Amino acid sequence: MASIVVIDHPIILRIAALAVDKGASAYVVGGYVRDALMGRARSDVDITIVGDAVDFARQVANLFNSKAVVYERFGTAMVPIGDMHVEFVGTRREEYHANSRKPVVTMGTLDDDLRRRDFTVNAMAASLAPETLGHVVDLFGGQADLADGVLRTPLDPVITMSDDPLRMMRAARFAAQLGFRIDADTERAITDMADRIGIISQERITDEFLKILGAPLPSIGLKVLFQTGLLKHILPEVHALAGVDLVAVGNREYRHKDVFLHTLQVVDNVAKVSNNVWLRLATLMHDVAKPKTKRFVEGTGWTFHGHEDVGARWQEKIFRRMKLPMDHLDYVQRLVRLHQRPMMLVDEGVTDSAIRRLAVAAGEALDDLFVLCKADVTTKNPRLAERYTRNYDVVKAKVDAVAERDQLRSFQSPLRGEEIMSITGLPPSRTIGYIKWMIEEAILEGDIPNDVTAAKNYMLANVDQWVAQAETAHFQRRG
Ligand code: CTP
């Protein structure tokens, strides 16, 4: 007997009634049916119309006083209704004939629609006709695959993936989101044709990639990307983290840990405590320059000196290539650059100045930096893990205390450039920047408090000397 999904959403029911009025045959399809069968709620719905979907979408838009956004080329339309997005697609069949590069489009059937979808679990429809409301049409064993937790293509995977190679990444995404495994034939096809991802626009790739990072356990999807070879095309820097080097000295062998596997674990640790996808991205990137900076030093072992700075520098190029939103670049760079710093402040004797500098360098990313640092503790030794975590708590408490006392969260010199010019009468110049910097340094060093009067007095006492030095001074914030 066919399964039934409950269709009781008032908007969908009104659309169903309109379909009856207009004599159209309509089905809810794809993710909505999948999620309903899994007992997951969702707000977006796809509806397949046997026939002209665009015309029907316009009538739906009229009914709800909305406007249809029409994609003429694909014969699809989207109608926003309240906070719901309803997508309409027609069951058209496209056939290519010899001597013509243009497809011949005919009306097609529900079967034509379903067979061109990505995975069997996404290729089910539920009827919107009154007498069969919610009856599931499952032509490719989608329900069985749902029960088994398998992602399988309705057609030969090579055909399904060739139709839209982004589906190779969608397999990784659904594996991570739903915790499903990918059927062996499908995975083999993806592996064989991974380079076809090159024909997909960067925007679509990045969108899918961020969805993988946003999954409950991103490592599942990232592993699929790695194992199928997709990661090499999408993010070669992260692909290059995999592997272990081994050096033999005398009769001892020295190996470092597999940075890719370590990174996956840290990303999952972060994902358990934060949904912030930019924090997850920064975590994925935190050791990205380890392969570039690794050296074997006799007597010391493997070192990755400066990997945090190199990794932070790489971010701009990676952001540009992946077309990631540049307003998150600074945040990701800070976290990559600073991820080793809290560990260096564990010592009892650490100065307030070092603590202040960390607070200022991290700025708004300070709390997230500690989330990353704690997630980075992946030792299997529980006593060590507990000790490291406790150390971070101690450092965090110190940083919080100093940052709060000295109001360093969004640190700026208490005297701005304009004020420095009006007090000193100096024109705009490099000298003003130098004076501002000297004031900030004095605050960070703890020589003066973070307030206007102290800054003004300190400046007036030193300004002549600074003006003389400014020409040749080299000033750049330490940390
Ligand atoms: N689809 C497809 N191939 C694609 C994209 C989408 O076959 N490259 C089909 C699938 O049947 C999918 C439906 O279109 O279920 C809707 O696509 P989308 O909204 O991207 O995915 P959902 O399955 O709805 O999942 P979610 O909304 O949770 O991302």
Side-chain angles (χ1 to χ4, degrees), residues 101 170 416:
R101 291 174 56 208
R170 285 172 63 89
R416 316 300 288 267

Side-chain angles (χ1 to χ4, degrees), residues 29-35 40 42 44-46 87 89 113-124 154 160 163-168 170 173-174 177-178 204 207-208 211:
V29 72
Y32 193 92
V33 179
R34 179 198 69 219
D35 288 352
R40 291 159 45 125
R42 60 181 288 144
D44 291 347
V45 57
D46 295 284
E87 300 261 358
V89 48
D113 171 287
L114 297 179
R115 68 171 57 247
R116 302 317 292 219
R117 290 183 178 264
D118 54 1
F119 302 106
T120 60
V121 294
N122 288 342
M124 291 181 276
T160 300
D163 266 357
D164 177 7
L166 185 73
R167 289 171 171 172
M168 299 189 287
R170 285 172 63 89
R173 192 247 290 188
F174 286 118
Q177 273 182 344
L178 306 175
R204 292 186 77 208
D207 201 40
E208 209 54 50
K211 284 183 182 167

Side-chain angles (χ1 to χ4, degrees), residues 405-478:
R405 189 189 70 209
D406 297 350
Q407 298 162 36
L408 296 174
R409 278 281 163 148
S410 46
F411 178 64
Q412 278 267 9
S413 157
L415 287 185
R416 316 300 288 267
E418 301 283 313
E419 291 163 298
I420 296 172
M421 287 189 274
S422 89
I423 297 169
T424 60
L426 291 166
S429 62
R430 178 182 150 86
T431 306
I432 304 299
Y434 181 60
I435 294 173
K436 194 160 165 264
W437 182 77
M438 288 300 275
I439 295 169
E440 288 169 358
E441 283 295 298
I443 293 168
L444 292 178
E445 280 302 310
D447 296 339
I448 59 169
N450 184 12
D451 72 54
V452 179
T453 314
K456 211 183 272 180
N457 291 339
Y458 183 64
M459 177 178 75
L460 290 172
N462 290 287
V463 68
D464 292 342
Q465 190 191 334
W466 291 344
V467 169
Q469 292 167 356
E471 255 327 276
T472 51
H474 181 71
F475 53 100
Q476 202 182 31
R477 165 100 342 108
R478 282 190 282 131

Side-chain angles (χ1 to χ4, degrees), residues 89 91 146 276 295 442 479:
V89 48
T91 54
L146 209 53
N276 178 349
R295 304 267 175 281

Side-chain angles (χ1 to χ4, degrees), residues 310-345:
V310 177
R313 276 204 300 278
W314 285 359
Q315 294 311 308
E316 181 168 354
K317 161 186 90 185
I318 292 173
F319 262 63
R320 288 199 190 288
R321 191 183 70 224
M322 291 198 73
K323 298 209 164 107
L324 286 160
M326 296 309 265
D327 43 344
H328 296 288
L329 172 63
D330 177 67
Y331 167 86
V332 171
Q333 278 174 329
R334 277 178 203 242
L335 289 178
V336 176
R337 181 174 305 115
L338 297 174
H339 77 269
Q340 301 271 90
R341 194 81 74 78
M343 197 173 44
M344 295 176 339
L345 300 185

Side-chain angles (χ1 to χ4, degrees), residues 342 345-346 355 358 370 391-400:
L345 300 185
V346 165
I355 299 263
L358 173 61
F370 280 88
N391 283 343
Y392 282 131
D393 287 337
V394 171
V395 176
K396 178 73 167 50
K398 277 192 208 169
V399 179
D400 280 346

Side-chain angles (χ1 to χ4, degrees), residues 85-131:
H85 285 149
V86 188
E87 300 261 358
F88 292 90
V89 48
T91 54
R92 57 187 207 163
R93 187 198 324 225
E94 292 184 4
E95 275 169 316
Y96 289 84
H97 294 292
N99 306 327
S100 169
R101 291 174 56 208
K102 271 200 166 170
V104 176
V105 180
T106 50
M107 186 163 115
T109 60
L110 181 64
D111 183 340
D112 289 322
D113 171 287
L114 297 179
R115 68 171 57 247
R116 302 317 292 219
R117 290 183 178 264
D118 54 1
F119 302 106
T120 60
V121 294
N122 288 342
M124 291 181 276
S127 169
L128 288 183
E131 61 281 8

